Amino acid sequence: MVGDWEPTAALVRVYPMTTVALPPLQLRWLASAQPLAGQSAVAVATDAAFEAFYRAESDGLYRALSMSLSNPELAREATDEGFARAYQHWRKIQAYDNPAGWVYRVSLNWARSRLRKTKREVITDEVRDVAVNPTANPGLTEALAALPMEFRSVVVLRYLMQWSTAEVAQALQVPTGTVKSRLSRGLEQLRSSLGEEAGQ
Amino acid sequence: MDDFERRLANDLRRQADAMPRFAGNAEVVARRGRNRRWAVRGAGAFGALAILGGGVGIIMTAADDTPDEVATEFATVQVAPAPTPTPTPTPDPRPLVIPTPPVPAVVPEDPTAASLVVATGWGVGLVRDTGAQYAPVVCCQDDEPPWWNQTGASDTDPAVKLDKGAVRVRDDLDGGLVAATRNALYWVSADQGLTSQSPQLLATVDQVNTDPGDTETSGEQAQPAAADETNPSQAANSASLQLWDVAEVGGQTKVLYSVVQLDPNNGQARTSTLRAATLAADAAVTEDLETNSWDTGDETWFSYNGASWLPDGGYMSLKTQNGACGWIELSGPQGSATDLSAPFPKPADGEPCNRFIAAAAVDDAGEHIAVSEIEAGIPQVATYTLDRAAQKTRVFLSDSVEPEDAGKWSELDFGSGGVLVGRGLGLDPAQWPTADETVLVTNDSREATPIGYIGYVSWPRSVISTADLEPVDVQGPLYFGARVFAEAPDQPNTPEAAEEPAAEPPAAPTEPGDPQPTAGAEDEPEDFRVPTGAGVVTIASDALTGTDGCARSATTPPDDEPVRYRACIGEDFANAAKRLDAAFGTNPDTFAPRSDPSQTPADTTDAEGPDAAITPEPQTRKQAGTFTWQSRTRQITVEVQDGTVTSVTSVPVGALSSPFNRDLTIGQVLQALGAPASIERTDGATAAVTLRYDTEAGTVAYTFVDTKTQLPPLEGSFDAGTAAYDDLPIVAYSAS
């Protein structure tokens, strides 16, 4: 499982600092021409790469986590937490095939732990203000929330994030077969909840 | 992708598009990440003082927040170090020496204060000082160079080069630290203090008698040597040393380890020796317990896969034959030559041996053994009641799990009260177990980088499925170990309570200066330590004075039940007293609250071991008066009239009380940190900061000195009465 997690050079996603325009005020710590006191040029470059990654992935991960957790508030915290941890190990994580997958998993685990810790484990039964687009399938939110967490995560990553089965497996640190199994069972439940016929 | 899947993807996308954009920003996140590296210098009821590099900050802690989390949000005073002409890397992640004790205003640096190794892990060790704070002493994380203690050691000049990934630190050595590399065993005693020169070499692989002709050797003595010039890593690669246990046995601190000499031709064990080292104040004595050897080319060989001391001085050894089949042996104390029954004896000749014991542990009482077994490829965890008359009761903690997970249960141990705690990577702060949960942490040692898994079980039996085992933040930051707390006080009849002998109340009242009775850590509700990325700090207390008139535990949120102790205004005193008795370790039958807080020992920081619950002389239950319960860090006082609680005060010992709320001013913060007027924290290596709270002027003055640069002190002040902790100004420090 973990062996799969080691970065593969050909698949490494690069978040170059040069591709991102940095707002000078908000990101003073990045955009300053001179490093801040105590901050080396290497640190500045590292921060810039992290910033690029953050900008590219944070919103999508937040939304995926919101759906996975059915709890936008918790997802917001979890996203922050996941990225904070990613920052701590950014030099290593940025070389991964899919750093966003790492952040997703860490965030999800953190959220689940938080829920467990606070004894509010009824993740699937609580749907908290997940915005519903009236043009979308109205029953989707409820149907998705009714899925067990592990199924929901796989569905969200596969169909919202459009990650491949291998990427989902890598992100969740489960075998590919497990992803396929969960995907199949999750879709089956969704079909049932939404009144769809299998294969329809 | 069929039509349904396509529509599902579209619907999910539309749904996501309708959601508000994520409101975070990278700077805040990065700051959070950086702040994980803050070294907490002192902790009080509501916060801690932290230093990062040359900066200083106040970390506010909420009830169940972890300091690192709060640090990111509430770091209030930050002093950046002055620019230096030499390139400066990112802030030094290694925390500074954490002084003793957390509460007093002035904390001297005392490197000899370290007394207890509290964390385990691959390449990570922590030593707790007498103030229940921590300092890391070993670090071989990720790509960082190994180093030994921050006191005087540096990346380029570590006194001991510990093999990456081979360091094992055990958490049950009161008085120091024992760590092992593949080829050597080191000891840092508390008396010696934590300096770069302090590790003593207990043993190296080449000190072991490897003569295949010997089958039993004992009494060999080895004087520990300073490790400064020793380079045990030069020892032959064909030998390896493994540290298995450190425990107090018969009043002595004894280390159990094994050394395996491998045949360089085929990599198989040629000599396998189980050894003991007895640690004394100025020396250590090592001896062979068992030595077994084989001729080169023998098809059958075995090595040790674990060992634990038993309370009677005997030991349990976990042996594996040819690296596959395994069994457990129990040996009596040295000299008894008694092999005791064990759940899985060595198969008789001719019998198949398809069982592998991945890990085993014996509880402190020597009554139970936890075994991680893999039988026919199916791993499972079970506990057994050890009866030396060969009666064994098997209790499965897990049903079989998928074969692919074999090996996950590689480390087991009994924690407080007989619950299982896995050693190893431990827990992420967010994974911290609540009071009524039992946690099982396991390692997947098959991987190059061990992975922690966590599952929750309820004692004595629960089913653990792989779905319940979550990777604990793989590739994440340091994890410093698991801690399981006591069951909620309203569940006194927990199995472990029934199985473990309860702490007896003291026979006589305590007097100042007398040794205080020490309750087990499981009896202490205050002893919360939360890991951060840089070390472990103590949130000085879990108890907060709530606005609802209740003092309650912070192990669970204020609106959550059950709480571990609670006393509320208007409550029937008998009920409150019963809970408080249970929570503070007093005997409900004798009911022994103190009515005079002056009986509180002035200095409890010298107490040995975990926080000491103090049980005064039993007295008659009263219907009115003032009653006080106290542990080392927390005092709760209940005023009673006509059998009803009229007032509840919960305060950290030695600190002023202040109701917790998020409108605290910085002055209140400083008060809560343990001093009404001033706080001084000095780190000899880097920085010193003094915060002075002028109660009359309502200001906080600070003086910051960078002892490295010797630049002029930075001085300033801010209004303590108006500046809330979450909107205090950032103070920049410039040499100009």
Side-chain angles (χ1 to χ4, degrees), chain A residues 1-2 26 29 40 51 59 85 113 119 141 159-160 191, chain B residues 2 5 13 15 22 26-27 34 88 428 431 436 451 453:
Chain A
M1 295 192 307
V2 173
Q26 183 184 8
W29 57 291
S40 68
E51 164 71 7
D59 196 53
R85 296 185 185 193
S113 300
K119 299 185 181 302
T141 300
Y159 295 109
L160 175 63
R191 282 192 172 99
Chain B
D2 62 21
E5 290 172 275
R13 174 59 57 190
Q15 202 80 309
F22 184 56
E27 179 179 0
R34 278 198 294 268
T88 304
D428 175 87
Q431 306 270 17
D436 56 350
I451 301 170
Y453 284 81

PDB file of all heavy atoms in Angstrom, chain A residues 1-2 26 29 40 51 59 85 113 119 141 159-160 191, chain B residues 2 5 13 15 22 26-27 34 88 428 431 436 451 453:
ATOM      1  N   MET A   1       0.827  -1.193   0.000  1.00  0.00           N
ATOM      2  CA  MET A   1       0.000   0.000   0.000  1.00  0.00           C
ATOM      3  C   MET A   1       0.864   1.247   0.000  1.00  0.00           C
ATOM      4  O   MET A   1       0.719   2.119  -0.831  1.00  0.00           O
ATOM      5  CB  MET A   1      -0.910  -0.007   1.214  1.00  0.00           C
ATOM      6  CG  MET A   1      -1.918  -1.129   1.179  1.00  0.00           C
ATOM      7  SD  MET A   1      -3.192  -0.921   2.420  1.00  0.00           S
ATOM      8  CE  MET A   1      -2.223  -0.722   3.873  1.00  0.00           C
ATOM      9  N   VAL A   2       1.757   1.229   0.963  1.00  0.00           N
ATOM     10  CA  VAL A   2       2.547   2.435   1.065  1.00  0.00           C
ATOM     11  C   VAL A   2       3.569   2.517  -0.039  1.00  0.00           C
ATOM     12  O   VAL A   2       3.919   3.588  -0.510  1.00  0.00           O
ATOM     13  CB  VAL A   2       3.224   2.497   2.442  1.00  0.00           C
ATOM     14  CG1 VAL A   2       4.174   3.660   2.502  1.00  0.00           C
ATOM     15  CG2 VAL A   2       2.180   2.620   3.498  1.00  0.00           C
ATOM     16  N   GLN A  26      -1.836  40.139   0.319  1.00  0.00           N
ATOM     17  CA  GLN A  26      -2.274  38.964   1.062  1.00  0.00           C
ATOM     18  C   GLN A  26      -1.103  38.037   1.364  1.00  0.00           C
ATOM     19  O   GLN A  26      -1.072  37.368   2.381  1.00  0.00           O
ATOM     20  CB  GLN A  26      -3.320  38.210   0.250  1.00  0.00           C
ATOM     21  CG  GLN A  26      -3.872  37.007   0.994  1.00  0.00           C
ATOM     22  CD  GLN A  26      -4.830  36.225   0.134  1.00  0.00           C
ATOM     23  OE1 GLN A  26      -4.955  36.495  -1.051  1.00  0.00           O
ATOM     24  NE2 GLN A  26      -5.503  35.272   0.741  1.00  0.00           N
ATOM     25  N   TRP A  29       4.367  37.361   2.848  1.00  0.00           N
ATOM     26  CA  TRP A  29       5.450  36.460   3.182  1.00  0.00           C
ATOM     27  C   TRP A  29       6.023  35.755   1.959  1.00  0.00           C
ATOM     28  O   TRP A  29       7.112  35.234   1.991  1.00  0.00           O
ATOM     29  CB  TRP A  29       4.979  35.437   4.194  1.00  0.00           C
ATOM     30  CG  TRP A  29       3.802  34.652   3.709  1.00  0.00           C
ATOM     31  CD1 TRP A  29       2.538  35.103   3.506  1.00  0.00           C
ATOM     32  CD2 TRP A  29       3.791  33.296   3.342  1.00  0.00           C
ATOM     33  NE1 TRP A  29       1.745  34.101   3.047  1.00  0.00           N
ATOM     34  CE2 TRP A  29       2.487  32.975   2.942  1.00  0.00           C
ATOM     35  CE3 TRP A  29       4.770  32.309   3.318  1.00  0.00           C
ATOM     36  CZ2 TRP A  29       2.158  31.720   2.506  1.00  0.00           C
ATOM     37  CZ3 TRP A  29       4.412  31.053   2.900  1.00  0.00           C
ATOM     38  CH2 TRP A  29       3.100  30.766   2.497  1.00  0.00           C
ATOM     39  N   SER A  40      14.951  32.214   4.651  1.00  0.00           N
ATOM     40  CA  SER A  40      15.915  32.097   3.577  1.00  0.00           C
ATOM     41  C   SER A  40      15.219  32.123   2.231  1.00  0.00           C
ATOM     42  O   SER A  40      14.003  31.988   2.117  1.00  0.00           O
ATOM     43  CB  SER A  40      16.689  30.786   3.737  1.00  0.00           C
ATOM     44  OG  SER A  40      15.819  29.701   3.492  1.00  0.00           O
ATOM     45  N   GLU A  51       2.163  27.668  -2.094  1.00  0.00           N
ATOM     46  CA  GLU A  51       1.077  28.572  -2.438  1.00  0.00           C
ATOM     47  C   GLU A  51       0.419  28.172  -3.759  1.00  0.00           C
ATOM     48  O   GLU A  51      -0.810  28.165  -3.883  1.00  0.00           O
ATOM     49  CB  GLU A  51       1.618  30.003  -2.523  1.00  0.00           C
ATOM     50  CG  GLU A  51       0.716  31.003  -3.245  1.00  0.00           C
ATOM     51  CD  GLU A  51      -0.524  31.353  -2.434  1.00  0.00           C
ATOM     52  OE1 GLU A  51      -0.583  30.910  -1.286  1.00  0.00           O
ATOM     53  OE2 GLU A  51      -1.401  32.046  -2.969  1.00  0.00           O
ATOM     54  N   ASP A  59      -9.618  24.614  -3.124  1.00  0.00           N
ATOM     55  CA  ASP A  59     -11.055  24.733  -3.312  1.00  0.00           C
ATOM     56  C   ASP A  59     -11.681  23.393  -3.687  1.00  0.00           C
ATOM     57  O   ASP A  59     -12.718  23.009  -3.141  1.00  0.00           O
ATOM     58  CB  ASP A  59     -11.352  25.791  -4.386  1.00  0.00           C
ATOM     59  CG  ASP A  59     -12.794  26.232  -4.336  1.00  0.00           C
ATOM     60  OD1 ASP A  59     -13.262  26.633  -3.249  1.00  0.00           O
ATOM     61  OD2 ASP A  59     -13.470  26.132  -5.376  1.00  0.00           O
ATOM     62  N   ARG A  85      -0.677  20.519   7.502  1.00  0.00           N
ATOM     63  CA  ARG A  85       0.240  19.395   7.627  1.00  0.00           C
ATOM     64  C   ARG A  85       1.056  19.224   6.349  1.00  0.00           C
ATOM     65  O   ARG A  85       2.225  18.834   6.395  1.00  0.00           O
ATOM     66  CB  ARG A  85      -0.531  18.124   7.953  1.00  0.00           C
ATOM     67  CG  ARG A  85      -1.228  18.206   9.290  1.00  0.00           C
ATOM     68  CD  ARG A  85      -1.892  16.904   9.675  1.00  0.00           C
ATOM     69  NE  ARG A  85      -2.638  17.069  10.912  1.00  0.00           N
ATOM     70  CZ  ARG A  85      -3.116  16.055  11.617  1.00  0.00           C
ATOM     71  NH1 ARG A  85      -2.907  14.833  11.217  1.00  0.00           N
ATOM     72  NH2 ARG A  85      -3.803  16.273  12.716  1.00  0.00           N
ATOM     73  N   SER A 113     -11.610  11.683  12.884  1.00  0.00           N
ATOM     74  CA  SER A 113     -11.128  11.589  14.260  1.00  0.00           C
ATOM     75  C   SER A 113     -11.771  12.646  15.134  1.00  0.00           C
ATOM     76  O   SER A 113     -12.091  12.403  16.300  1.00  0.00           O
ATOM     77  CB  SER A 113      -9.611  11.741  14.284  1.00  0.00           C
ATOM     78  OG  SER A 113      -9.012  10.734  13.533  1.00  0.00           O
ATOM     79  N   LYS A 119     -17.535  12.532  19.825  1.00  0.00           N
ATOM     80  CA  LYS A 119     -18.666  11.613  19.944  1.00  0.00           C
ATOM     81  C   LYS A 119     -19.841  12.010  19.064  1.00  0.00           C
ATOM     82  O   LYS A 119     -20.987  11.789  19.386  1.00  0.00           O
ATOM     83  CB  LYS A 119     -19.129  11.508  21.400  1.00  0.00           C
ATOM     84  CG  LYS A 119     -18.062  10.985  22.318  1.00  0.00           C
ATOM     85  CD  LYS A 119     -18.624  10.803  23.695  1.00  0.00           C
ATOM     86  CE  LYS A 119     -17.557  10.299  24.647  1.00  0.00           C
ATOM     87  NZ  LYS A 119     -16.973   9.030  24.211  1.00  0.00           N
ATOM     88  N   THR A 141     -27.953  14.938  -2.766  1.00  0.00           N
ATOM     89  CA  THR A 141     -27.308  15.245  -1.491  1.00  0.00           C
ATOM     90  C   THR A 141     -27.691  14.219  -0.440  1.00  0.00           C
ATOM     91  O   THR A 141     -26.838  13.680   0.276  1.00  0.00           O
ATOM     92  CB  THR A 141     -27.710  16.646  -1.021  1.00  0.00           C
ATOM     93  OG1 THR A 141     -27.301  17.596  -2.002  1.00  0.00           O
ATOM     94  CG2 THR A 141     -27.043  16.982   0.310  1.00  0.00           C
ATOM     95  N   TYR A 159     -15.876  10.696  -9.079  1.00  0.00           N
ATOM     96  CA  TYR A 159     -16.776  11.371 -10.015  1.00  0.00           C
ATOM     97  C   TYR A 159     -16.751  12.892  -9.897  1.00  0.00           C
ATOM     98  O   TYR A 159     -17.048  13.584 -10.867  1.00  0.00           O
ATOM     99  CB  TYR A 159     -18.201  10.848  -9.853  1.00  0.00           C
ATOM    100  CG  TYR A 159     -18.312   9.399 -10.228  1.00  0.00           C
ATOM    101  CD1 TYR A 159     -18.510   8.424  -9.269  1.00  0.00           C
ATOM    102  CD2 TYR A 159     -18.180   9.003 -11.559  1.00  0.00           C
ATOM    103  CE1 TYR A 159     -18.580   7.089  -9.599  1.00  0.00           C
ATOM    104  CE2 TYR A 159     -18.256   7.662 -11.911  1.00  0.00           C
ATOM    105  CZ  TYR A 159     -18.452   6.712 -10.937  1.00  0.00           C
ATOM    106  OH  TYR A 159     -18.497   5.394 -11.293  1.00  0.00           O
ATOM    107  N   LEU A 160     -16.426  13.391  -8.730  1.00  0.00           N
ATOM    108  CA  LEU A 160     -16.299  14.843  -8.621  1.00  0.00           C
ATOM    109  C   LEU A 160     -14.871  15.277  -8.941  1.00  0.00           C
ATOM    110  O   LEU A 160     -14.658  16.163  -9.765  1.00  0.00           O
ATOM    111  CB  LEU A 160     -16.673  15.312  -7.207  1.00  0.00           C
ATOM    112  CG  LEU A 160     -16.457  16.805  -6.954  1.00  0.00           C
ATOM    113  CD1 LEU A 160     -17.353  17.654  -7.862  1.00  0.00           C
ATOM    114  CD2 LEU A 160     -16.706  17.157  -5.492  1.00  0.00           C
ATOM    115  N   ARG A 191     -27.913   4.317  -6.912  1.00  0.00           N
ATOM    116  CA  ARG A 191     -28.955   3.993  -7.894  1.00  0.00           C
ATOM    117  C   ARG A 191     -30.258   3.658  -7.181  1.00  0.00           C
ATOM    118  O   ARG A 191     -31.340   4.103  -7.576  1.00  0.00           O
ATOM    119  CB  ARG A 191     -28.502   2.817  -8.763  1.00  0.00           C
ATOM    120  CG  ARG A 191     -27.514   3.185  -9.850  1.00  0.00           C
ATOM    121  CD  ARG A 191     -27.363   2.011 -10.832  1.00  0.00           C
ATOM    122  NE  ARG A 191     -26.565   2.400 -11.984  1.00  0.00           N
ATOM    123  CZ  ARG A 191     -25.277   2.115 -12.115  1.00  0.00           C
ATOM    124  NH1 ARG A 191     -24.666   1.420 -11.172  1.00  0.00           N
ATOM    125  NH2 ARG A 191     -24.609   2.485 -13.182  1.00  0.00           N
TER     126      ARG A 191
ATOM    127  N   ASP B   2     -21.077   4.572 -17.407  1.00  0.00           N
ATOM    128  CA  ASP B   2     -22.393   4.491 -18.032  1.00  0.00           C
ATOM    129  C   ASP B   2     -23.145   5.813 -17.850  1.00  0.00           C
ATOM    130  O   ASP B   2     -22.632   6.786 -17.289  1.00  0.00           O
ATOM    131  CB  ASP B   2     -23.187   3.305 -17.445  1.00  0.00           C
ATOM    132  CG  ASP B   2     -23.449   3.457 -15.953  1.00  0.00           C
ATOM    133  OD1 ASP B   2     -23.395   4.603 -15.450  1.00  0.00           O
ATOM    134  OD2 ASP B   2     -23.709   2.447 -15.282  1.00  0.00           O
ATOM    135  N   GLU B   5     -23.500   7.073 -14.301  1.00  0.00           N
ATOM    136  CA  GLU B   5     -22.255   7.621 -13.764  1.00  0.00           C
ATOM    137  C   GLU B   5     -21.971   9.001 -14.353  1.00  0.00           C
ATOM    138  O   GLU B   5     -21.498   9.896 -13.652  1.00  0.00           O
ATOM    139  CB  GLU B   5     -21.099   6.659 -14.053  1.00  0.00           C
ATOM    140  CG  GLU B   5     -21.165   5.368 -13.260  1.00  0.00           C
ATOM    141  CD  GLU B   5     -20.125   4.378 -13.720  1.00  0.00           C
ATOM    142  OE1 GLU B   5     -20.386   3.642 -14.685  1.00  0.00           O
ATOM    143  OE2 GLU B   5     -19.028   4.346 -13.122  1.00  0.00           O
ATOM    144  N   ARG B  13     -20.711  17.782  -9.900  1.00  0.00           N
ATOM    145  CA  ARG B  13     -20.011  19.001 -10.299  1.00  0.00           C
ATOM    146  C   ARG B  13     -20.907  20.218 -10.098  1.00  0.00           C
ATOM    147  O   ARG B  13     -20.470  21.238  -9.567  1.00  0.00           O
ATOM    148  CB  ARG B  13     -19.584  18.873 -11.766  1.00  0.00           C
ATOM    149  CG  ARG B  13     -18.980  20.138 -12.353  1.00  0.00           C
ATOM    150  CD  ARG B  13     -17.743  20.578 -11.592  1.00  0.00           C
ATOM    151  NE  ARG B  13     -16.724  19.535 -11.547  1.00  0.00           N
ATOM    152  CZ  ARG B  13     -15.641  19.577 -10.790  1.00  0.00           C
ATOM    153  NH1 ARG B  13     -15.455  20.610  -9.983  1.00  0.00           N
ATOM    154  NH2 ARG B  13     -14.754  18.615 -10.818  1.00  0.00           N
ATOM    155  N   GLN B  15     -23.364  20.468  -8.106  1.00  0.00           N
ATOM    156  CA  GLN B  15     -23.523  20.663  -6.664  1.00  0.00           C
ATOM    157  C   GLN B  15     -22.307  21.366  -6.072  1.00  0.00           C
ATOM    158  O   GLN B  15     -22.425  22.275  -5.242  1.00  0.00           O
ATOM    159  CB  GLN B  15     -23.692  19.287  -5.994  1.00  0.00           C
ATOM    160  CG  GLN B  15     -24.359  19.345  -4.662  1.00  0.00           C
ATOM    161  CD  GLN B  15     -25.878  19.454  -4.788  1.00  0.00           C
ATOM    162  OE1 GLN B  15     -26.401  20.304  -5.494  1.00  0.00           O
ATOM    163  NE2 GLN B  15     -26.562  18.567  -4.115  1.00  0.00           N
ATOM    164  N   PHE B  22     -13.792  28.003  -1.098  1.00  0.00           N
ATOM    165  CA  PHE B  22     -13.048  27.827   0.142  1.00  0.00           C
ATOM    166  C   PHE B  22     -12.438  29.163   0.556  1.00  0.00           C
ATOM    167  O   PHE B  22     -11.822  29.867  -0.248  1.00  0.00           O
ATOM    168  CB  PHE B  22     -11.949  26.788  -0.065  1.00  0.00           C
ATOM    169  CG  PHE B  22     -11.193  26.463   1.187  1.00  0.00           C
ATOM    170  CD1 PHE B  22     -11.850  26.020   2.325  1.00  0.00           C
ATOM    171  CD2 PHE B  22      -9.822  26.590   1.231  1.00  0.00           C
ATOM    172  CE1 PHE B  22     -11.150  25.705   3.467  1.00  0.00           C
ATOM    173  CE2 PHE B  22      -9.111  26.281   2.369  1.00  0.00           C
ATOM    174  CZ  PHE B  22      -9.787  25.838   3.491  1.00  0.00           C
ATOM    175  N   ALA B  26      -3.378  30.575   1.916  1.00  0.00           N
ATOM    176  CA  ALA B  26      -2.167  29.792   2.121  1.00  0.00           C
ATOM    177  C   ALA B  26      -1.314  30.346   3.247  1.00  0.00           C
ATOM    178  O   ALA B  26      -0.633  29.596   3.941  1.00  0.00           O
ATOM    179  CB  ALA B  26      -1.354  29.742   0.832  1.00  0.00           C
ATOM    180  N   GLU B  27      -1.348  31.631   3.429  1.00  0.00           N
ATOM    181  CA  GLU B  27      -0.494  32.211   4.457  1.00  0.00           C
ATOM    182  C   GLU B  27      -0.881  31.693   5.836  1.00  0.00           C
ATOM    183  O   GLU B  27      -0.040  31.327   6.649  1.00  0.00           O
ATOM    184  CB  GLU B  27      -0.579  33.723   4.424  1.00  0.00           C
ATOM    185  CG  GLU B  27       0.290  34.358   5.500  1.00  0.00           C
ATOM    186  CD  GLU B  27       0.242  35.867   5.468  1.00  0.00           C
ATOM    187  OE1 GLU B  27      -0.463  36.410   4.616  1.00  0.00           O
ATOM    188  OE2 GLU B  27       0.901  36.493   6.300  1.00  0.00           O
ATOM    189  N   ARG B  34       3.945  26.142  10.236  1.00  0.00           N
ATOM    190  CA  ARG B  34       5.192  26.571  10.872  1.00  0.00           C
ATOM    191  C   ARG B  34       5.075  26.544  12.388  1.00  0.00           C
ATOM    192  O   ARG B  34       6.002  26.194  13.091  1.00  0.00           O
ATOM    193  CB  ARG B  34       5.558  27.976  10.396  1.00  0.00           C
ATOM    194  CG  ARG B  34       6.253  27.995   9.050  1.00  0.00           C
ATOM    195  CD  ARG B  34       6.947  29.315   8.858  1.00  0.00           C
ATOM    196  NE  ARG B  34       6.031  30.431   8.764  1.00  0.00           N
ATOM    197  CZ  ARG B  34       5.531  30.894   7.622  1.00  0.00           C
ATOM    198  NH1 ARG B  34       5.857  30.321   6.495  1.00  0.00           N
ATOM    199  NH2 ARG B  34       4.713  31.907   7.605  1.00  0.00           N
ATOM    200  N   THR B  88      19.959  32.069   6.633  1.00  0.00           N
ATOM    201  CA  THR B  88      19.260  31.397   7.722  1.00  0.00           C
ATOM    202  C   THR B  88      18.219  30.464   7.141  1.00  0.00           C
ATOM    203  O   THR B  88      17.380  30.898   6.370  1.00  0.00           O
ATOM    204  CB  THR B  88      18.563  32.429   8.624  1.00  0.00           C
ATOM    205  OG1 THR B  88      19.543  33.355   9.073  1.00  0.00           O
ATOM    206  CG2 THR B  88      17.921  31.749   9.820  1.00  0.00           C
ATOM    207  N   ASP B 428      -2.021  10.654  16.332  1.00  0.00           N
ATOM    208  CA  ASP B 428      -2.124  12.034  15.927  1.00  0.00           C
ATOM    209  C   ASP B 428      -2.914  12.771  17.016  1.00  0.00           C
ATOM    210  O   ASP B 428      -3.776  12.185  17.655  1.00  0.00           O
ATOM    211  CB  ASP B 428      -2.879  12.083  14.597  1.00  0.00           C
ATOM    212  CG  ASP B 428      -3.148  13.490  14.160  1.00  0.00           C
ATOM    213  OD1 ASP B 428      -2.274  14.067  13.511  1.00  0.00           O
ATOM    214  OD2 ASP B 428      -4.231  14.001  14.474  1.00  0.00           O
ATOM    215  N   GLN B 431      -6.358  12.228  16.965  1.00  0.00           N
ATOM    216  CA  GLN B 431      -6.800  10.864  17.217  1.00  0.00           C
ATOM    217  C   GLN B 431      -6.828  10.558  18.707  1.00  0.00           C
ATOM    218  O   GLN B 431      -7.028   9.417  19.088  1.00  0.00           O
ATOM    219  CB  GLN B 431      -5.824   9.892  16.539  1.00  0.00           C
ATOM    220  CG  GLN B 431      -5.605  10.149  15.082  1.00  0.00           C
ATOM    221  CD  GLN B 431      -6.585   9.400  14.226  1.00  0.00           C
ATOM    222  OE1 GLN B 431      -7.601   8.944  14.716  1.00  0.00           O
ATOM    223  NE2 GLN B 431      -6.303   9.290  12.954  1.00  0.00           N
ATOM    224  N   ASP B 436     -13.544   7.310  27.571  1.00  0.00           N
ATOM    225  CA  ASP B 436     -14.206   6.020  27.621  1.00  0.00           C
ATOM    226  C   ASP B 436     -13.909   5.174  26.395  1.00  0.00           C
ATOM    227  O   ASP B 436     -14.614   4.236  26.105  1.00  0.00           O
ATOM    228  CB  ASP B 436     -15.711   6.205  27.788  1.00  0.00           C
ATOM    229  CG  ASP B 436     -16.284   7.063  26.686  1.00  0.00           C
ATOM    230  OD1 ASP B 436     -15.488   7.644  25.938  1.00  0.00           O
ATOM    231  OD2 ASP B 436     -17.508   7.142  26.587  1.00  0.00           O
ATOM    232  N   ILE B 451       3.950   2.258   9.558  1.00  0.00           N
ATOM    233  CA  ILE B 451       2.689   2.987   9.474  1.00  0.00           C
ATOM    234  C   ILE B 451       1.873   2.681  10.716  1.00  0.00           C
ATOM    235  O   ILE B 451       1.758   1.541  11.129  1.00  0.00           O
ATOM    236  CB  ILE B 451       1.897   2.559   8.229  1.00  0.00           C
ATOM    237  CG1 ILE B 451       2.738   2.833   6.979  1.00  0.00           C
ATOM    238  CG2 ILE B 451       0.576   3.300   8.150  1.00  0.00           C
ATOM    239  CD1 ILE B 451       2.142   2.228   5.754  1.00  0.00           C
ATOM    240  N   TYR B 453      -1.576   2.338  12.602  1.00  0.00           N
ATOM    241  CA  TYR B 453      -3.002   2.133  12.391  1.00  0.00           C
ATOM    242  C   TYR B 453      -3.693   2.298  13.732  1.00  0.00           C
ATOM    243  O   TYR B 453      -3.145   1.961  14.774  1.00  0.00           O
ATOM    244  CB  TYR B 453      -3.293   0.740  11.833  1.00  0.00           C
ATOM    245  CG  TYR B 453      -2.960   0.612  10.379  1.00  0.00           C
ATOM    246  CD1 TYR B 453      -1.659   0.391   9.977  1.00  0.00           C
ATOM    247  CD2 TYR B 453      -3.933   0.742   9.414  1.00  0.00           C
ATOM    248  CE1 TYR B 453      -1.337   0.286   8.638  1.00  0.00           C
ATOM    249  CE2 TYR B 453      -3.630   0.638   8.084  1.00  0.00           C
ATOM    250  CZ  TYR B 453      -2.329   0.414   7.699  1.00  0.00           C
ATOM    251  OH  TYR B 453      -2.009   0.315   6.382  1.00  0.00           O
TER     252      TYR B 453
END
